Amino acid sequence: MPTKTTPNRQQTHLAVLIDADNAPAAIVEGLFEEIAKYGIASVKRIYGDWTQPQLGKWKQVLLDHSIQPIQQFAYTKGKNATDSALIIDAMDLLYTRRFDGFCLVSSDSDFTRLAARLREEGLTVYGFGEEKTPKPFVSACDKFIYTEILRADAELPSELTEAGQPQEPRPAPKPKAQRVPLDFIAKVLDDIADDEDDWVQLGALGQNISKLRPAFDPRLYGFKKLSDLIKAQPKRFELQARGGGGGGRDLYARNLKTNKG
């Protein structure tokens, strides 16, 4: 009998563009682990003036992660020319029509219009930046991940003792957990809930939350997944597992304060 073959799932191809002046090298491991959740990083480029010493830490990790450095000299002292180089490359890559999305790694609001323009073409834009990133850039992305989350499990560089011996690497400090936006989550549940029983499939809840708040991430509140966050609020929300297609189990949530049953 002929062997039954499983059709290959279509891969999501992403272009990763990093602003080296506005992104710390300490995020590199977590960055590409996070990007792998959304697709394949087909292009990986990083922009900066590589003659400057402040990019030294990035130089140490470029080869390990196969990131292509793009040299951009500063034409005028105090002016950042890398933004323009990144934007021009992004538009060139856009018009190749080979990508499904872009990952813009920077805390600089100058990329706000670029993110919006890429989305106008129907591409998904993932932003990565520090919590200081201006809100317009965050809102211009489909999904925005704060890099403090990505650094939580990283190790700080080892330091030398007085005798010149290296010390054990120190874990980077974890970001302080924020207050869970219970009212916001409850409102989203109420808005999309079925009128009959108020239950909402968890995947649909997560998608609608991201549309309204691109930077929403359960890890900001001390939880690994959205299901963990919902489960930790038994007085406000209820979580239920139901049989899904193919023998799997789907998770559903509802807002207890508006439940009439």
Side-chain angles (χ1 to χ4, degrees):
M1 291 181 63
T3 303
K4 184 178 180 180
T5 58
T6 303
N8 293 328
R9 296 179 60 185
Q10 184 176 0
Q11 300 286 357
T12 299
H13 293 277
L14 303 173
V16 182
L17 307 179
I18 305 171
D19 175 10
D21 294 321
N22 287 285
I27 69 171
V28 67
E29 293 284 351
L31 173 66
F32 286 105
E33 288 176 4
E34 187 74 18
I35 290 173
K37 298 177 183 178
Y38 308 115
I40 297 175
S42 301
V43 167
K44 294 182 281 188
R45 298 179 185 176
I46 185 167
Y47 301 78
D49 185 352
W50 301 101
T51 64
Q52 299 301 312
Q54 62 266 27
L55 299 186
K57 291 182 179 179
W58 271 115
K59 292 179 184 178
Q60 298 171 15
V61 300
L62 296 185
L63 289 178
D64 291 340
H65 296 275
S66 190
I67 308 173
Q68 180 185 4
I70 306 297
Q71 171 63 31
Q72 181 60 54
F73 292 104
Y75 299 121
T76 305
K77 188 175 181 180
K79 296 291 185 179
N80 188 353
T82 60
D83 294 1
S84 298
L86 190 155
I87 292 169
I88 291 170
D89 270 11
M91 298 308 295
D92 286 344
L93 292 170
L94 166 66
Y95 290 123
T96 67
R97 306 298 179 189
R98 294 188 293 113
F99 299 94
D100 304 294
F102 279 74
C103 299
L104 304 179
V105 187
S106 178
S107 301
D108 193 339
S109 62
D110 288 348
F111 298 111
T112 301
R113 179 58 188 141
L114 172 62
R117 180 68 181 87
L118 295 171
R119 291 181 67 187
E120 287 171 4
E121 291 292 324
L123 275 69
T124 303
V125 178
Y126 302 97
F128 296 82
E130 297 178 340
E131 290 188 37
K132 67 180 182 180
T133 304
K135 189 175 180 180
F137 180 34
V138 174
S139 300
C141 300
D142 291 284
K143 175 75 175 175
F144 197 91
I145 297 93
Y146 289 123
T147 54
E148 284 83 356
I149 296 173
L150 307 181
R151 300 180 67 174
D153 297 326
E155 291 185 335
L156 295 177
S158 58
E159 298 178 351
L160 298 180
T161 64
E162 293 181 0
Q165 297 298 321
Q167 296 177 337
E168 289 294 323
R170 297 171 291 121
K174 293 186 177 182
K176 184 178 180 181
Q178 300 180 15
R179 184 177 179 181
V180 178
L182 297 177
D183 291 340
F184 167 70
I185 297 173
K187 185 178 186 307
V188 176
L189 277 169
D190 291 343
D191 288 344
I192 64 175
D194 191 312
D195 291 337
E196 294 183 2
D197 59 9
D198 295 333
W199 288 100
V200 174
Q201 206 274 338
L202 202 65
L205 174 62
Q207 291 173 8
N208 279 270
I209 287 176
S210 293
K211 289 177 183 177
L212 296 170
R213 291 191 184 180
F216 179 90
D217 194 310
R219 291 170 293 184
L220 290 172
Y221 312 104
F223 300 96
K224 187 176 181 180
K225 299 180 294 184
L226 179 59
S227 59
D228 296 332
L229 186 154
I230 297 294
K231 191 184 301 182
Q233 314 295 330
K235 295 182 179 180
R236 190 68 185 269
F237 307 118
E238 184 177 359
L239 193 67
Q240 184 182 94
R242 301 181 182 180
R249 303 281 283 176
D250 291 332
L251 290 176
Y252 288 77
R254 66 176 174 178
N255 178 16
L256 292 175
K257 288 196 173 183
T258 58
N259 178 41
K260 300 178 179 57

